[in-house]
Every structure is written in structure tokens, then in C-alpha cells.
Amino acid sequence: AETRKLYRIGRGEQGGLLVRPYTNDICAHWRFVNETAAHKSSNKIYEMFCDYKSRKDFIGMDMSRKFLEMGFTRARRYANHPSGKKYDSEGNIRPQSADHFTCEKARSATIFKAKRDLAAKDPIYVEMRKEWRASEWIVTPRYKKINNKYTSIIQTPVYYGKYRTTHWTGQTDPFRPHN
């Protein structure tokens, strides 16, 4: 219960795979390989969104919205670039596929976008999001003054090989004044 206060909304789908148990529950239904899978998946995730809403569980609602967003963005990625790779080996953007507006992945993206828009514009979600945003920086400070320097005290992602984990930075933030 106390750790729920540490949840941050982020931007778009940011943090969509980091918050357990929501990630495990929602990810089990997340599919965008074709239109049939996208319909079934987006309907189930939106149903979960409504269930979280009935329980007044903002984190569950926001995580559901993030997975709907990810369904849209990932399907669009594969519609634009069937290999899933946007950049070539020299770092140049690959050209979009000729059928990037009409292929099956594009139709899957449209399905997810419709459900994402329903969730994101839900009046109860909008109000709860506004309340959460207003309180999220009050509950836990982002910086702490240590030895007369502002130091970041938020969790940041760290990569060890192919695995992602988090740790408390405790590093001085170069973007804050050090007095």
C-alpha cells in the first residue's frame, strides 16, 4: 500500500513493463500479430481497464492504458518496418514498407488505438490521472540535498548485459544547481 505512492505515470507507455503484478497480468493478454489477435487482446485489456476502474485502482487503469498504447506503437512499428528494425546498420532510417497504411499490422494498430483512446479519454481516468499527477511529486521528492549538493534519489534503469534492472542512483544530478 505504501509503495503504491512510488508509482509514476511517465510519458506515453514509459514504465509499462516495470510494475508488477500488473505487467504480468496484462502482458498475458497482449497480442498484436493480426487483426483477430488485436481485437481479442485489446478487448481483454480494455475489460481489465474497466475492472480496475470499478475498483478505483488508478495504477491498474494506467498500466492497462499503457499496454493499449504499446499495442498501437508496436503494431505501427511492424507496419512501417516488417523486420521491426527502424534503422539500418549505419544508423539511417530504413524506408517504410509500401503497404504501411493498409497491411495487417496497420489494421492491428488501428484496433489498439481505438481502445487506447477510449481508455485515455475516460472521464474517471482523466480525473484520477489529474489527481495522481498533482500528488506524485509531493509524496516522494526527486532530489535531496546531500553535502550541499542536490542528489537524485529516484530509481533509474540500469542494463547488465541484456537484462534490465533498477537501482537507487545517489548520483549528483548535473541539471540541478550545486550550492
Side-chain angles (χ1 to χ4, degrees):
E2 190 63 29
T3 57
R4 294 176 62 78
K5 294 178 183 177
L6 298 176
Y7 179 75
R8 298 286 174 259
I9 294 171
R11 293 182 65 182
E13 61 198 48
Q14 189 178 48
L17 299 173
L18 298 177
V19 183
R20 309 268 185 246
Y22 300 101
T23 296
N24 297 346
D25 297 343
I26 301 167
C27 197
H29 306 286
W30 185 54
R31 305 284 182 275
F32 55 88
V33 70
N34 57 39
E35 287 179 87
T36 305
H39 270 296
K40 185 176 177 185
S41 177
S42 63
N43 286 335
K44 177 61 180 173
I45 295 170
Y46 186 72
E47 181 183 307
M48 294 173 84
F49 172 87
C50 293
D51 184 47
Y52 291 127
K53 182 170 78 169
S54 71
R55 291 188 268 157
K56 295 181 174 35
D57 182 350
F58 173 75
I59 298 173
M61 291 170 67
D62 196 50
M63 291 297 293
S64 299
R65 181 204 49 84
K66 286 180 183 195
F67 270 89
L68 293 168
E69 177 91 20
M70 288 191 303
F72 166 62
T73 58
R74 298 312 185 277
R76 275 298 335 149
R77 162 72 60 101
Y78 285 97
N80 293 337
H81 309 283
S83 68
K85 296 180 181 177
K86 183 175 180 177
Y87 301 96
D88 63 20
S89 58
E90 285 88 45
N92 301 313
I93 296 177
R94 296 172 188 255
Q96 288 181 318
S97 65
D99 65 344
H100 68 276
F101 282 128
T102 57
C103 68
E104 191 164 40
K105 290 288 192 291
R107 294 189 301 270
S108 292
T110 303
I111 292 164
F112 268 98
K113 185 180 184 310
K115 290 294 184 183
R116 189 269 327 255
D117 290 347
L118 274 176
K121 293 175 183 172
D122 181 282
I124 294 171
Y125 171 77
V126 170
E127 187 58 35
M128 289 177 82
R129 180 183 168 99
K130 193 182 299 179
E131 290 170 12
W132 194 276
R133 273 281 192 220
S135 69
E136 70 182 357
W137 294 112
I138 296 168
V139 174
T140 54
R142 186 173 178 177
Y143 298 95
K144 186 175 181 181
K145 202 168 189 178
I146 300 173
N147 297 331
N148 288 332
K149 294 183 178 180
Y150 285 98
T151 303
S152 174
I153 58 170
I154 58 171
Q155 271 193 323
T156 57
V158 178
Y159 293 88
Y160 294 107
K162 63 180 181 176
Y163 301 103
R164 180 178 178 158
T165 186
T166 57
H167 76 292
W168 293 99
T169 61
Q171 297 172 351
T172 303
D173 191 315
F175 302 108
R176 291 289 297 221
H178 301 286
N179 352 2

